[in-house]
Amino acid sequence: MSLSEHELGRYRRQLILDGWGPGTQEKLRNSKVFVAGAGGLGCAAALNLTLAGVGHIRICDSDTVELTNLNRQFLHPEQNIGREKTLSATETLRGLNSAIAIEPVTREINEESVAELVGDADLILDCLDNFPGRYTLSKHAAENNIPLVFAAIWGMEGRLTFLHPPATPCLSCLFPRAPERHEIPVLGGVACTSGSLQALEAINYLSSSRPTLAGRMLIMDYQTMRFQELEIARNPDCPVCGGRGQEGGQTGA
Ligand SMILES: [Zn+2]
């Protein structure tokens, strides 16, 4: 189905981007994205996917809005303290773009729920703040060949990469063990910028199927305003993805 008059108007300024056009916009409209987490990263990532016109966004979080969230989680207005984060975020996002479907799911992501929650998503955005949930998502993504955009923040630093083994590492290749859990120090701008970059990586993939951060970890230091990148590779002994893609001469690393 071609773009409606409303869509042609709403997306006019991106339709004139080099190499974009209606075909790219239709690709975004036909995409399903699973956003894991409606916190600092998730708010910014979901906002940018919404504005860009990604057609189906499922946003998943099991928490309610707390006062200490408000320095960064801008989709939640003050009066929504105590409400489910997914409902609060969805209400705001729907007010920004009625031309797409946004689906809130208030559930915890674990071994039992992950398959049903992710469903037939084309892409996963890992916007979580805990490693058990991140490992569960990454394992499900690797086993079901679903690409995943990983972002993490700590203090004034952010990290971002695209995971799709066997072409790239999985999360367990990069972090064999979960770091100790602490309360993460964070500034709103760090979460917003990192989540926005995460959404841009997703849009690049969905619009062209060319992930720009495959095999590279972008490290954003917001204190010095220096961005660096590291080459990252699969661990051939990784218990999650190590055996994948070895047949038929595909090492993919
Ligand atoms: Zn791995």
Side-chain angles (χ1 to χ4, degrees), residues 33-102:
V33 176
F34 181 75
V35 178
L41 289 168
C43 280
L47 170 75
N48 283 280
L49 297 178
T50 296
L51 295 177
V54 169
H56 191 121
I57 301 168
R58 180 178 290 175
I59 185 158
C60 180
D61 199 302
S62 60
D63 289 339
T64 53
V65 179
E66 295 177 24
L67 179 65
T68 56
N69 300 150
L70 300 187
N71 80 324
R72 61 201 183 281
Q73 300 181 19
F74 57 86
L75 294 180
H76 312 305
E78 282 185 354
Q79 70 265 23
N80 279 358
I81 289 175
R83 269 191 89 192
E84 293 173 17
K85 280 189 185 177
T86 57
L87 299 180
S88 170
T90 298
E91 196 172 271
T92 306
L93 294 171
R94 282 182 181 155
L96 295 171
N97 191 348
S98 61
I100 61 168
I102 304 165

Side-chain angles (χ1 to χ4, degrees), residues 138 142 165 168-174 234-235 238-242:
S138 167
T168 76
C170 79
L171 185 66
S172 297
C173 295
L174 302 176
R234 277 176 68 213
N235 170 9
C238 172
V240 175
C241 74

Side-chain angles (χ1 to χ4, degrees), residues 1-4 7 22-23 25-27 29-30 99:
M1 202 171 68
S2 54
L3 299 177
S4 67
E7 288 170 313
Q25 195 62 48
E26 285 167 26
K27 273 191 196 173
R29 187 180 63 185
N30 295 335

